[in-house]
């Protein structure tokens, strides 16, 4: 970047204790399961919002990242034009993530039965009408939840920073974290996504941050 380029907005990452507190605060929230999956997998906000059931295999415990929600003239669109080539990846799911998705499948069924009209997009985390969430609504929802829980305000993309930082502090190699996040090298993990947190546990299994969801 040229010297005159605007500096990037500093990013925040929650530590393990804050992440557990946020996890608990997300229970019962419309977007809670989506934010929880981001904490467990490091998905980008658009990738999580654009996740469809046909990309999930609960038998093998994997997610294929193929689509994302993006804005076009302030309209929400579902696209396969992902951020980078490495964004197309397969993520292994922890038991906590698989349980979360099984529960979410039941929630979506209930939403569909209750809806007068349903946009049949096959989304894992749809609105009450089956459509994709607008990023602004996601940001506002997470800010409200953080405020009510007495936590620092984090944006949806900073859940990704949180996942990467906790994994790094647990000793997971940065090459593995880069694969999880959809980066071709460790540079972004080293320079952008890895925040200094207090180490709290040994290396986690890549693809999930199970201790966030574990009972205290």
């Amino acid at each position: 970047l040229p010297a005159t380029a605007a500096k990037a907005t500093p990013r925040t990452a929650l530590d393990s204790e804050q992440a557990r507190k946020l996890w608990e605060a997300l229970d019962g929230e419309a977007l809670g399961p989506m934010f929880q999956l981001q904490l467990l997998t490091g998905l980008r906000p658009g990738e999580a919002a654009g996740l469809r059931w046909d990309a999930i295999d609960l038998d093998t415990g994997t997610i294929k990242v193929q689509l994302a929600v993006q804005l076009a003239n302030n309209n929400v669109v579902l696209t396969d034009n992902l951020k980078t080539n490495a964004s197309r990846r397969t993520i292994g799911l922890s038991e906590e993530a698989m349980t979360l998705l099984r529960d979410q499948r039941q929630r979506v069924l209930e939403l569909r039965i209750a809806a007068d009209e349903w946009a049949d997009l096959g989304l894992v985390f749809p609105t009450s009408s089956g459509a994709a969430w607008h990023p602004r609504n996601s940001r506002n929802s997470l800010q409200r939840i953080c405020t009510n829980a007495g936590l620092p305000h984090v944006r949806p993309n900073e859940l990704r920073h949180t996942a990467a930082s906790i994994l790094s502090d647990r000793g997971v190699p940065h090459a593995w974290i880069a694969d999880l996040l959809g980066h071709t090298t460790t540079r972004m993990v080293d320079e952008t996504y890895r925040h200094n947190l207090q180490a709290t546990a040994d290396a986690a299994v890549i693809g999930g941050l199970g201790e966030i969801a574990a009972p205290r």
Side-chain angles (χ1 to χ4, degrees):
L1 291 176
T4 56
K7 292 185 178 180
T9 303
R11 299 293 184 177
T12 299
L14 301 177
D15 61 28
S16 294
E17 186 61 30
Q18 291 170 327
R20 291 191 188 98
K21 188 174 181 180
L22 176 60
W23 180 279
E24 295 169 359
L26 292 171
D27 283 343
E29 293 284 346
L31 281 168
M34 186 174 80
F35 295 144
Q36 288 174 329
L37 187 67
Q38 286 183 250
L39 283 170
L40 292 172
T41 62
L43 285 171
R44 295 180 175 92
E47 294 169 348
L51 187 62
R52 300 200 318 184
W53 289 110
D54 59 10
I56 295 174
D57 189 332
L58 290 177
D59 293 326
T60 60
T62 58
I63 288 176
K64 290 185 180 297
V65 180
Q66 302 168 326
L67 301 171
V69 163
Q70 295 178 9
L71 289 180
N73 297 322
N74 204 39
N75 294 316
V76 177
V77 296
L78 195 60
T79 178
D80 62 0
N81 183 23
L82 301 183
K83 189 170 184 179
T84 66
N85 290 334
S87 296
R88 298 181 184 281
R89 62 200 188 278
T90 299
I91 295 175
L93 296 171
S94 64
E95 286 298 326
E96 290 79 8
M98 291 175 67
T99 298
L100 184 156
L101 289 168
R102 291 189 185 101
D103 291 345
Q104 179 63 11
R105 187 164 52 186
Q106 180 61 35
R107 292 189 195 95
V108 173
L109 177 60
E110 293 169 359
L111 283 176
R112 184 167 187 166
I113 292 172
D116 294 329
E117 295 183 358
W118 185 258
D120 196 9
L121 301 177
L123 293 174
V124 176
F125 304 109
T127 66
S128 59
S129 63
W133 287 89
H134 193 290
R136 178 183 61 248
N137 294 336
S138 299
R139 290 193 300 271
N140 291 344
S141 176
L142 185 56
Q143 180 172 326
R144 173 183 55 78
I145 294 167
C146 288
T147 297
N148 292 342
L151 289 167
H153 285 174
V154 290
R155 290 160 287 193
N157 193 53
E158 290 169 330
L159 301 179
R160 178 173 165 86
H161 286 249
T162 297
S165 296
I166 293 175
L167 285 173
S168 178
D169 273 9
R170 290 177 179 174
V172 175
H174 284 196
W176 294 8
I177 299 173
D179 287 343
L180 178 67
L181 298 182
H183 294 300
T184 55
T185 71
T186 63
R187 185 178 63 84
M188 287 292 289
V189 177
D190 297 335
E191 298 178 3
T192 304
Y193 284 95
R194 193 267 191 265
H195 299 257
N196 292 322
L197 306 176
Q198 181 179 356
T200 58
D202 294 331
V205 175
I206 203 71
L209 300 177
E211 291 191 14
I212 289 177
R216 296 177 60 188

